Amino acid sequence: MASSLTKDSPSAPSGPEKTFFGHPRGLATLFMTEMWERFSFYGMRALLTIYLLSGGPDGSKGLQGGGLGMDLATATAIYSIYLSMVYLLAMPGGWLGDRLWGPRRTVTIAACTIMLGHLTLALPGKGSFFAGLALVALGSGLLKANISTMVGHLYDGPNDPRRDGGFTIFYLGINIGAFFAPLIIGTVGETYSWHLGFALAAVGMGIGLIMFLLGTEHLSPESSRVPTPLSREERVTWLRKGMTWLLIAAVFYGAVGLSGNFTLNWAMVPLTLAGIAIPAAVLIRIKRDKELSAAEQTRMSGYIWFFVAAAVFWMIYDQGGSTIQAFGTTKAAGELFGVGFPSSWYQSLNPVFIMALAPVFAWFWLWLSRRGQEPSTVVKFAAGLLFVGVSFFFFLIPLAMAADGTLVSPVWLVGIYLIQTVGELCVSPVGLSVTTKMAPAKYASQMMGVWFLAVTAGDSVTGLLSIGGVDLGRTGVVAVEALLASLAGFAVFMYRRKVQALMGDIH
């Protein structure tokens, strides 16, 4: 992508400064790194539900064998728990960036971990599958909070007018990788070999790591700094705590395994409960921190509104890769206009819509801002919740059409993903930006982890419902979820002035 050249003021000694579409040059480095990391992440994710279902009672039509042969409820639970753990681990990832390695080094370690995870997934067997899934979740968690924080470091404070636009461009890079991933990794995985598809995901992350290392000179020096480094005593304390909990878990699960009573639920239920309890505990801990100023305390009260709204949004939105993907694989026609396609290609719909609409939204918000008419962040969140609710009301139509066994047109799924994308553009890039603006100084990188905990909470609810036997693809359940999101959007809109007051001078 071409860069433009702009000149500093005549008195500036540095001369011409290369920019990336009017933004700091370091945005290009982070853009390319995240694009390839997302290529690996979304490529594997596009295969995940289908691979879990293949060969099982809800197996996918027209697929090669070799999947894990699970039922839909188990596949949905594993998918949801995996996603929730990716975002849960963003919190300790941010902590490591803040206190041990700094954001830049943490991202390097994360990329290596992700590569190892995908290579492990490429090995056959259930054991290697779950080990690889855990490594990818760990690496993704380490990377997510820190790379977003580094985007924030490129700008001159929270009120830099380029900031929202920069995060939108960064978000566009995510979706370029996400668009091509199902078309390449999904096709290879579904058509030729699941494990070759997983190996291609490792190649994508390797390219992203190279891009990052080559472009680090353009990043802010702040990205290499450890904001609040651990003292020697703190390191010893944290190591002792970590080893203690690891030993407890090893003894407990070792005993369960040796007794012959171990099932997947022994792992899935604690993870889903942790995915709900930990976000709540983290918010309470930060809110009660007496070291925060009065203004920071007030902003945190406002931020809780955004967090809860985002959790509801992601609970429904992330079913695009599980409930809706399973519906498209088993109950939608495998061709459109006479052209056949792998069902994993549905996962390219959202990113292609993002690429088409993100520049339009960025321009539209700026156009309204220049006229003093841009809606507040609160109103954008309310709109996002409404749109994701409407997407599930829309989902009710093809569900009814497929009730008698009829294969519905893929166009219905195109409509669902389009509506959800509009909602996503009202919530996700705006949420990333508002988190960096409202973050207390003490929790700089960690607050990005807090933002991702909203996804953890939403996906953990989905996982818990699946473990409990709730059929998330049933008409009544879809209708309840649609109504919940719509009511949440209405509530946020009705209390918008109260939330804006809590935000203080952040807009």
Side-chain angles (χ1 to χ4, degrees), residues 34 47 54 66 77 83 89 92 101 114 158 160 175 230 301 353 378 387 405 421 436 456 467 484 497:
E34 185 74 343
L47 291 176
S54 181
L83 281 188
L89 290 166
W101 296 323
I114 292 169
D160 188 324
N175 287 279
L230 288 171
S301 296
F353 290 144
V378 187
F387 277 115
T421 299
T436 61
T456 294
I467 293 169
L484 172 65
R497 291 186 179 86

Side-chain angles (χ1 to χ4, degrees), residues 350-483:
N350 169 259
V352 79
F353 290 144
I354 288 284
M355 288 187 287
L357 296 177
V360 176
F361 269 67
W363 169 83
F364 185 58
W365 298 142
L366 186 59
W367 183 79
L368 289 176
S369 178
R370 287 170 178 166
R371 286 157 179 76
Q373 298 175 345
E374 181 181 6
S376 68
T377 300
V378 187
V379 173
K380 291 176 184 177
F381 261 70
L385 283 166
L386 179 61
F387 277 115
V388 82
V390 168
S391 76
F392 261 40
F393 279 126
F394 188 79
F395 187 22
L396 293 173
I397 301 173
L399 276 173
M401 295 172 63
D404 61 357
T406 301
L407 293 179
V408 303
S409 169
V411 173
W412 289 104
L413 281 88
V414 173
I416 294 170
Y417 286 116
L418 176 59
I419 297 168
Q420 289 191 343
T421 299
V422 175
E424 181 185 5
L425 285 168
C426 292
V427 170
S428 195
V430 176
L432 284 169
S433 182
V434 79
T435 297
T436 61
K437 291 177 182 179
M438 297 178 72
K442 182 179 176 181
Y443 297 99
S445 292
Q446 293 178 63
M447 276 301 292
M448 294 309 305
V450 172
W451 163 249
F452 293 126
L453 285 181
V455 188
T456 294
D459 283 330
S460 292
V461 172
T462 302
L464 199 58
L465 291 172
S466 298
I467 293 169
V470 176
D471 182 359
L472 295 173
R474 190 161 55 87
T475 300
V477 177
V478 171
V480 169
E481 290 184 274
L483 183 61

Side-chain angles (χ1 to χ4, degrees), residues 79-166:
Y79 176 89
S80 300
I81 292 168
Y82 162 67
L83 281 188
S84 72
M85 290 301 103
V86 167
Y87 293 96
L88 176 63
L89 290 166
M91 187 68 194
W95 183 87
L96 288 168
D98 272 350
R99 308 220 58 195
L100 191 61
W101 296 323
R104 194 178 301 187
R105 184 179 298 177
T106 305
V107 166
T108 303
I109 294 170
C112 295
T113 306
I114 292 169
M115 283 179 60
L116 179 60
H118 287 304
L119 290 173
T120 306
L121 284 168
L123 302 174
K126 275 190 179 181
S128 60
F129 170 78
F130 286 110
L133 212 58
L135 286 169
V136 174
L138 174 61
S140 299
L142 288 173
L143 186 140
K144 291 190 74 64
N146 288 283
I147 200 166
S148 296
T149 297
M150 286 194 287
V151 174
H153 286 161
L154 298 173
Y155 296 96
D156 184 19
N159 291 318
D160 188 324
R162 301 173 300 169
R163 194 181 186 96
D164 279 8

Side-chain angles (χ1 to χ4, degrees), residues 152-286:
H153 286 161
L154 298 173
Y155 296 96
D156 184 19
N159 291 318
D160 188 324
R162 301 173 300 169
R163 194 181 186 96
D164 279 8
F167 273 100
T168 300
I169 292 173
F170 178 70
Y171 207 64
L172 182 62
I174 291 173
N175 287 279
I176 291 174
F179 168 70
F180 286 107
L183 303 182
I184 299 173
I185 295 174
T187 300
V188 170
E190 280 194 65
T191 309
Y192 299 102
S193 165
W194 301 111
H195 300 290
L196 180 57
F198 296 142
L200 284 177
V203 173
M205 186 66 261
I207 296 173
L209 176 59
I210 292 170
M211 293 287 185
F212 181 73
L213 295 176
L214 290 176
T216 50
E217 64 184 273
H218 301 296
L219 301 177
S220 167
E222 186 73 12
S223 299
S224 295
R225 190 176 71 86
V226 181
T228 53
L230 288 171
S231 66
R232 181 183 179 87
E233 293 76 14
E234 287 175 315
R235 288 180 185 236
V236 172
T237 300
W238 278 104
L239 182 61
R240 186 184 300 117
K241 286 181 180 179
M243 295 304 295
T244 299
W245 282 108
L246 183 62
L247 180 61
I248 291 171
V251 170
F252 177 79
Y253 281 102
V256 173
L258 290 173
S259 69
N261 294 317
F262 183 81
T263 64
L264 274 177
N265 281 352
W266 278 98
M268 293 196 299
V269 172
L271 289 174
T272 54
L273 293 176
I276 296 170
I278 291 175
V282 168
L283 283 174
I284 292 170
R285 179 177 63 83
I286 295 176

